[in-house]
Amino acid sequence: NNPIEDAHSEAVLTNGSGYLFGIYDGHGGAACGQVTAKRLQNYVAAGLLSTQDLERHIEAVKSENLDSEHFSPLATFNENFELVQDLRAIYQRSYLEYLNRLYSETSRK
């Protein structure tokens, strides 16, 4: 595997309930592992939120309130790259759709 195309991510959940770690194989090239490392933990962390915290998180994401303590459910370490603006906007919409589906499922229970 040369050059190394794998990526990794480490984060602490901001509600203090634990840590998330991941190692991602870059089968589709380095970008595949990097994008997965950048995005996947957000989805997992959102799924671990209480219904009330999820609702606050959705509102912070919708309003793009980066200063809100609820904007991100995790704090990442060693984040080595940024997504280009076009991808960031697409991924943000996708993430918000996921959050809304997650909320509708959890609020029914």
Side-chain angles (χ1 to χ4, degrees):
N1 198 13
N2 190 8
I4 302 230
E5 297 175 338
D6 301 344
H8 60 90
S9 59
E10 305 82 21
V12 61
L13 298 171
T14 55
N15 66 7
S17 64
Y19 297 86
L20 295 174
F21 301 93
I23 300 172
Y24 310 95
D25 192 336
H27 285 302
C32 179
Q34 289 172 349
V35 169
T36 304
K38 183 87 173 164
R39 297 187 64 210
L40 184 60
Q41 287 185 339
N42 290 295
Y43 287 78
V44 172
L48 298 172
L49 293 174
S50 69
T51 303
Q52 185 178 20
D53 285 342
L54 179 59
E55 191 172 357
R56 291 177 181 142
H57 177 51
I58 291 170
E59 287 307 313
V61 171
K62 278 183 183 176
S63 65
E64 298 181 7
N65 184 357
L66 302 176
D67 295 326
S68 169
E69 66 181 293
H70 302 290
F71 184 77
S72 179
L74 48 83
T76 58
F77 305 102
N78 303 319
E79 207 165 284
N80 298 329
F81 74 100
E82 285 295 321
L83 297 171
V84 295
Q85 181 59 39
D86 291 346
L87 288 179
R88 201 173 322 143
I90 291 168
Y91 292 157
Q92 191 72 5
R93 280 192 305 272
S94 171
Y95 182 62
L96 191 53
E97 288 173 15
Y98 167 76
L99 292 175
N100 287 321
R101 283 193 313 269
L102 182 62
Y103 181 74
S104 69
E105 290 174 12
T106 57
S107 63
R108 280 189 253 161
K109 295 179 182 179

